[in-house]
Amino acid sequence: MNFGFHPAPKPSASKRIKPTQKQLGDISPKVRKEVRDRSEGVCEVRVKCLGARAVQQAHIIGRKQLTHKTTAADLLDSCLECHLWLDETPEGIRYKRKLREDTA
């Protein structure tokens, strides 16, 4: 008996309906401007730097936990030192968690 190989054809064009985590976490120019206007270019974290010039936007909610497009409420304007502190130290992670709970 010869059963042969008869694969089912692929659909011609599939379109992704749900955005990826990267797409949800991307910061649009409009949101970036809102955050910069809110902070007036000064670090909003002010835990490590005492108000240095803000050069980055730090997510309060990590990209993997986002369920919606990033808004200005999801971000803090931060200097590099504070952004690294928020993302890479246990104290910074606890600080972000507290901020999320206070805004919820």
Side-chain angles (χ1 to χ4, degrees):
M1 274 181 122
N2 185 4
F3 290 104
F5 182 66
H6 303 289
K10 283 187 171 181
S12 58
S14 64
K15 293 190 178 184
R16 185 175 179 89
I17 297 170
K18 183 179 173 186
T20 64
Q21 290 304 123
K22 181 176 181 343
Q23 290 169 331
L24 290 175
D26 283 345
I27 304 169
S28 70
K30 179 183 174 189
V31 171
R32 192 175 299 276
K33 184 177 178 344
E34 283 180 50
V35 174
R36 189 54 47 103
D37 290 345
R38 180 184 70 202
S39 72
E40 297 178 350
V42 177
C43 180
E44 294 180 303
V45 181
R46 295 185 184 151
V47 173
K48 305 292 279 180
C49 68
L50 303 173
R53 183 172 170 261
V55 293
Q56 296 180 341
Q57 280 81 33
H59 280 86
I60 296 171
I61 301 172
R63 285 183 183 220
K64 292 181 180 178
Q65 287 81 31
L66 283 174
T67 57
H68 58 277
K69 294 279 289 173
T70 299
T71 64
D74 299 328
L75 300 169
L76 290 175
D77 220 3
S78 66
C79 65
L80 182 59
E81 184 179 354
C82 286
H83 195 174
L84 291 173
W85 178 78
L86 283 171
D87 289 345
E88 297 181 4
T89 65
E91 298 87 19
I93 293 168
R94 281 193 291 273
Y95 182 78
K96 285 197 305 187
R97 188 175 298 133
K98 184 179 181 305
L99 286 175
R100 283 195 302 265
E101 291 168 357
D102 290 347
T103 58

